[in-house]
Amino acid sequence: MSASSPLPSATGDPPGASPIDAAAPLRWLRLGWRDYRTNPLPGVLHGGLMALFGLILLIALRDAFWLLAGALTGFLIIAPVLASGLYAVSAHLERGEKVCCAEVARLWMSGDRRLMSFGLLLGLAGTGWVLTSAALITLWAPAPIERPLDFLRHVILAPDVGLFEVWLLLGAWLAAPVFASSVMALPMLVATPTPLWQAVGESWRAVGSHPVVMGVWALCIVALVALGMALAMVGLMVTVPVLAYASWHAYRDFERAGVIRPLRG
């Protein structure tokens, strides 16, 4: 979708907005799972490609976990834009329309500069984290970190407090503003002609107005992505699309509640 041809507005909205409370993330996940089951092919293909990429990464860096640790965790930074095509699927399902992959392909081929610019920024942030993580582990770890067991032994279970805690804090310090900038912005960019920086501002407004709810939602995202990776990456075929669809429903809840105000064409 280009900025001049946003998705049509959803119809059939309920008369009252759903409450955005601590239970809201569970409702979003339930709706995401419903969308996945209703129209599975786009989600399976998206998730399958990400699982394949993860497996290739695991094989290529199997003896360089000092680099792989940052690459796997950096996936959380770029995954939202990689899954942005699935927001269009949920938007159509909301109007009772099943779509296959044509709508997703149309979004990616639209050349939307807002999505391309945001994707580039997220890619730079992800690359920065991979390099930072690799340098930190290489310079601080008491022994070479070549395998996952090395990371567990010399980083996570290290007797001295320091490396793992700093690694986590740095990762969270980078991930938090990326999450706040993208969680509402990406579905908004897909669905409306809202300018990029306005969409980012609205995303920060949503996070700032409901910090506990969005904190719970961020933890859900981390947990489900980690679960998908732990299942030999194959689990990403389910967790990534379900999270993408759920993110669409989170956006719609905030829009209905009037917390965010996208520009409608």
Side-chain angles (χ1 to χ4, degrees):
M1 300 291 168
S2 66
S4 60
S5 58
L7 289 171
S9 297
T11 58
D13 284 351
S18 300
I20 304 176
D21 52 24
L26 295 179
R27 182 176 67 253
W28 301 334
L29 288 171
R30 185 174 67 251
L31 293 172
W33 174 242
R34 183 199 64 187
D35 289 355
Y36 181 82
R37 291 187 294 109
T38 301
N39 196 17
L41 185 58
V44 169
L45 289 177
H46 255 74
L49 287 173
M50 292 192 187
L52 179 61
F53 175 75
L55 286 172
I56 292 173
L57 202 61
L58 279 175
I59 293 171
L61 300 177
R62 62 184 180 275
D63 294 323
F65 200 79
W66 56 272
L67 181 60
L68 185 59
L72 292 179
T73 50
F75 175 82
L76 288 166
I77 295 175
I78 63 170
V81 74
L82 295 178
S84 58
L86 296 177
Y87 303 141
V89 176
S90 275
H92 281 275
L93 286 174
E94 200 170 275
R95 297 192 301 275
E97 303 168 0
K98 274 190 179 183
V99 295
C100 188
C101 298
E103 195 63 34
V104 176
R106 194 174 298 119
L107 173 71
W108 284 111
M109 295 173 64
S110 67
D112 190 324
R113 291 184 179 180
R114 302 167 306 151
L115 284 173
M116 292 172 63
S117 298
F118 206 10
L120 178 61
L121 290 174
L122 293 181
L124 290 173
T127 302
W129 165 243
V130 171
L131 295 177
T132 301
S133 170
L136 188 66
I137 292 172
T138 301
L139 296 174
W140 197 331
I145 307 298
E146 297 176 350
R147 299 294 181 95
L149 188 59
D150 297 330
F151 187 80
L152 177 66
R153 181 183 303 154
H154 299 298
V155 179
I156 298 178
L157 300 179
D160 298 326
V161 175
L163 174 55
F164 185 57
E165 290 74 16
V166 170
W167 186 79
L168 281 179
L169 286 174
L170 278 176
W173 180 76
L174 175 62
V178 169
F179 172 79
S181 299
S182 62
V183 63
M184 295 291 142
L186 281 169
M188 188 181 298
L189 294 175
V190 169
T192 74
T194 306
L196 174 57
W197 296 112
Q198 181 181 340
V200 171
E202 293 297 313
S203 190
W204 276 88
R205 182 201 302 274
V207 174
S209 64
H210 294 75
V212 174
V213 175
M214 299 313 284
V216 172
W217 181 229
L219 289 176
C220 288
I221 292 173
V222 171
L224 287 176
V225 170
L227 177 62
M229 291 181 175
L231 296 173
M233 296 292 175
V234 178
L236 295 177
M237 294 179 66
V238 176
T239 60
V240 165
V242 168
L243 285 169
Y245 296 144
S247 295
W248 169 261
H249 291 287
Y251 159 72
R252 292 289 286 137
D253 269 3
F254 275 89
E255 183 186 13
R256 292 186 186 110
V259 178
I260 56 175
R261 300 175 181 86
L263 176 66
R264 287 292 178 184

